[in-house]
Amino acid sequence: MEFPNLGVKCPVEDCKRLNFEPFSCKHCHILFCIKHFDVVSHNCKNFHKTKLSSYLCSDESCTQTSAIEMLCVKCKKHSCLQHRYHGCLEYTNEERTTKLKKWQIPKKQFAEAKAIVDQEISNNLKKSKNTAMANKVRLMRIKGSAVGPKTVPMNERCYFLVYASIKACNKNVGPSKGIYVNMNWIVEKAINSMAEMLKIPNSSDIENAAKLHLFHHSTGTLISNAMDIPLTKLFENSELVDGQSVILEYSNDTSVNTTLYK
């Protein structure tokens, strides 16, 4: 008994094999046997008509094609490797001017800030030079009339214009006097020597009594709260300058009113 509707015969002339599970060609979609379903075995016409995608360069003088599309980010046209830099991304004169102005803004701001900083540095240097020169002149003047222990070697002397305490000022001495001390002394010993030269009472040994301290004449601030620190240390830290003006006053505060010492 025959079953004519069962299975599919392979269309290849030399085959005609009956297939109950035929295979379809993905190009022509015809059913073949397992032996002839590939494109070469049945010489598939649709496969030969299929062409690989190719992209022609957008440059009119170019005939180069590529299997990969390379689009310009600006004009969205395909270009070959040779013509990928086709001037599309170049700035117009107007765009270039706008960009240049934009780039010049931070440059101008930097130049202005630099000019301010340079001027400040210049002013500080000028002020520092003037201060240094003033200190030298003042030191020379103080040395000419300064008093102090004669036992202090010349090469160990440091000089100060000392303003005496307004609370115990000696009228025979005056409001200020040039005094030298030994730079190797501690602050307490230097204060004791200054008080002796100015002939003012020194209550450093009396408990709960107001103590003499040294203050900067220019700012009124306390030079050092530590009485056992060497003067050389204060010079090294630029807390003292040879020839500067100081105030010797009874006070437990950190500053004094400089307008009272003229």
Side-chain angles (χ1 to χ4, degrees):
M1 187 179 216
E2 294 185 2
F3 300 94
N5 294 328
L6 293 178
V8 176
K9 287 186 178 181
C10 179
V12 176
E13 285 295 329
D14 297 337
C15 181
K16 300 297 183 181
R17 180 180 176 180
L18 183 64
N19 298 280
F20 294 101
E21 293 182 4
F23 295 86
S24 174
C25 173
K26 64 179 181 179
H27 297 285
C28 64
H29 304 293
I30 299 175
L31 299 176
F32 294 91
C33 66
I34 190 173
K35 184 178 179 180
H36 296 105
F37 84 97
D38 64 279
V39 294
V40 177
S41 297
H42 66 268
N43 195 22
C44 182
K45 295 180 181 180
N46 284 3
F47 173 77
H48 292 295
K49 289 179 181 179
T50 303
K51 295 181 180 179
L52 293 175
S53 298
S54 61
Y55 301 93
L56 179 65
C57 178
S58 58
D59 189 287
E60 295 182 356
S61 62
C62 183
T63 58
Q64 290 289 329
T65 59
S66 173
I68 301 174
E69 188 176 26
M70 295 179 288
L71 298 179
C72 172
V73 294
K74 187 173 182 180
C75 66
K76 305 301 181 183
K77 292 182 180 179
H78 168 78
S79 297
C80 65
L81 292 176
Q82 183 180 353
H83 296 108
R84 57 181 173 173
Y85 301 112
H86 51 280
C88 186
L89 295 176
E90 291 183 4
Y91 295 120
T92 62
N93 290 335
E94 184 179 352
E95 290 175 330
R96 191 177 292 108
T97 302
T98 303
K99 290 283 185 182
L100 185 60
K101 287 181 179 179
K102 185 178 180 181
W103 292 336
Q104 286 177 340
I105 291 175
K107 183 179 179 182
K108 182 180 179 182
Q109 292 174 340
F110 173 80
E112 291 174 349
K114 184 177 182 298
I116 294 173
V117 173
D118 289 345
Q119 185 61 47
E120 186 175 346
I121 292 174
S122 178
N123 292 341
N124 289 339
L125 287 174
K126 185 177 180 181
K127 182 179 179 181
S128 178
K129 289 179 181 178
N130 292 341
T131 302
M133 180 58 68
N135 287 339
K136 287 182 179 179
V137 173
R138 184 167 55 248
L139 178 59
M140 291 175 63
R141 289 176 179 174
I142 294 173
K143 281 184 175 181
S145 60
V147 295
K150 294 181 180 180
T151 55
V152 178
M154 291 293 295
N155 61 340
E156 294 181 8
R157 293 179 182 182
C158 56
Y159 297 81
F160 301 98
L161 181 61
V162 184
Y163 285 79
S165 169
I166 59 174
K167 299 176 182 178
C169 183
N170 188 331
K171 294 181 179 181
N172 296 323
V173 176
S176 64
K177 189 172 184 62
I179 297 176
Y180 65 82
V181 294
N182 194 316
M183 64 177 65
N184 297 310
W185 288 352
I186 61 174
V187 172
E188 184 178 16
K189 189 171 181 178
I191 289 176
N192 293 341
S193 181
M194 290 177 182
E196 183 180 350
M197 293 298 136
L198 293 173
K199 295 180 173 58
I200 61 175
N202 186 358
S203 55
S204 60
D205 296 331
I206 302 175
E207 190 176 355
N208 298 326
K211 303 295 190 297
L212 283 170
H213 287 86
L214 283 177
F215 299 85
H216 291 283
H217 183 263
S218 58
T219 62
T221 56
L222 181 66
I223 291 176
S224 176
N225 192 40
M227 302 299 282
D228 58 348
I229 187 171
L231 295 179
T232 51
K233 191 69 175 178
L234 298 178
F235 281 115
E236 290 173 2
N237 296 337
S238 299
E239 295 177 51
L240 280 180
V241 177
D242 197 9
Q244 80 171 75
S245 299
V246 296
I247 298 171
L248 185 63
E249 185 56 273
Y250 301 98
S251 177
N252 292 324
D253 296 328
T254 57
S255 63
V256 294
N257 184 357
T258 58
T259 61
L260 301 176
Y261 305 88
K262 300 295 184 181

